[in-house]
Amino acid sequence: MLRVIDTETCGLQGGVVEVASVDVIDGRIVNPMSDLISPDRPISRQAMAIHRITETMVLGKPTIEEAIGRYHGSPYYVAHNASFDRRMLPEMPGEWICTMTLARGLWPGKKYGNQALREALQLDVTPPADLHAHRALYDCYITAALLIRIMEFSGWDAPEMVRRMQVRGSSATFPFGKYRGSRIDDVVKRDPGYLKWMLKNIPDLKPDLKSAMERALSAD
């Protein structure tokens, strides 16, 4: 089982207002779940204009910490631009797979938004009729259809997708610091102490960068 998960937020800096998921089992999309969430900050006008979730809709709803437990239980979590959703959620027990990252490798030169890939790849999917793009459950259906296409096209199973995510992560470059622009797998060979220092002293590293650094250190 792979659990496709998506969040809607108060803005780019966080504050979850909706979480949803669907499961992909044997090439089928099943077990839809969704919750509106009471956020820890006001919803920005820009975000509200995109997902159309208002302050009234989330009034009295559970917090993300209260709601997230029922989304646990999968060995794999899948999201489109997974580094964002992973950062928005409390710690999830499982491996993460990013359909955007995998799609970039399989189909170079395309636009990589969910809806753009749905059209470009002619994905056969029917999201809930009462929702629209940028609602969490609607977007889960699109991401799940993309995941199924990735698996059919590539022949990769879940462990292989995780492995390819790890390979791409180790080939990633530092976005800041004295090794800005250098590959993580190169830096770990030259200066592993620097990676250890960053992991210990910089608490707000992006989850994908942190995971790539930890994997590089463990493999060295």
Side-chain angles (χ1 to χ4, degrees):
M1 180 180 77
L2 297 98
R3 179 155 291 165
V4 176
I5 198 161
D6 187 73
T7 58
E8 300 300 330
T9 66
C10 296
L12 292 177
Q13 301 308 311
V16 176
V17 296
E18 188 174 42
V19 61
S21 73
V22 297
D23 295 338
V24 173
I25 301 175
D26 297 329
R28 297 181 299 115
I29 302 172
V30 298
N31 191 31
M33 298 190 293
S34 66
D35 287 283
L36 288 168
I37 300 295
S38 178
D40 60 1
R41 68 199 73 186
I43 306 172
S44 72
R45 290 183 178 180
Q46 294 88 341
M48 201 179 301
I50 293 171
H51 52 54
R52 303 181 218 171
I53 298 172
T54 66
E55 299 281 1
T56 301
M57 291 169 64
V58 298
L59 187 64
K61 299 299 183 181
T63 65
I64 187 59
E65 290 79 12
E66 292 168 336
I68 198 61
R70 79 188 191 107
Y71 294 87
H72 291 180
S74 174
Y76 301 99
Y77 293 96
V78 182
H80 200 67
N81 192 13
S83 61
F84 179 82
D85 294 284
R86 188 175 185 180
R87 180 163 52 91
M88 294 301 107
L89 295 170
E91 188 68 27
M92 302 286 282
E95 299 276 7
W96 280 79
I97 295 168
C98 178
T99 50
M100 179 181 285
T101 298
L102 295 175
R104 286 183 187 277
L106 290 171
W107 300 291
K110 295 188 180 297
K111 294 181 179 179
Y112 295 101
N114 244 5
Q115 291 298 321
L117 285 168
R118 178 188 183 182
E119 294 176 7
L121 300 176
Q122 298 183 337
L123 299 178
D124 183 15
V125 59
T126 305
D130 58 334
L131 297 177
H132 52 79
H134 303 297
R135 286 296 298 269
L137 186 57
Y138 185 106
D139 288 354
C140 280
Y141 273 84
I142 307 302
T143 299
L146 175 58
L147 174 67
I148 293 168
R149 176 63 59 82
I150 287 170
M151 296 174 75
E152 291 174 344
F153 182 83
S154 66
W156 300 335
D157 59 8
E160 178 62 15
M161 288 189 287
V162 170
R163 189 190 72 79
R164 288 177 179 271
M165 294 290 302
Q166 292 171 344
V167 169
R168 290 182 69 87
S170 65
S171 299
T173 58
F174 278 104
F176 57 85
K178 70 175 182 177
Y179 290 114
R180 181 176 181 179
S182 298
R183 287 161 50 115
I184 292 173
D185 51 356
D186 289 338
V187 173
V188 75
K189 297 173 185 176
R190 289 154 42 197
D191 192 356
Y194 182 68
L195 272 67
K196 294 175 183 177
W197 179 88
M198 290 185 71
L199 289 168
K200 182 178 180 181
N201 293 283
I202 303 179
D204 58 346
L205 290 171
K206 288 187 176 180
D208 284 358
L209 177 60
K210 181 178 178 181
S211 296
M213 291 165 62
E214 290 172 339
R215 286 193 296 268
L217 283 167
S218 65
D220 186 50

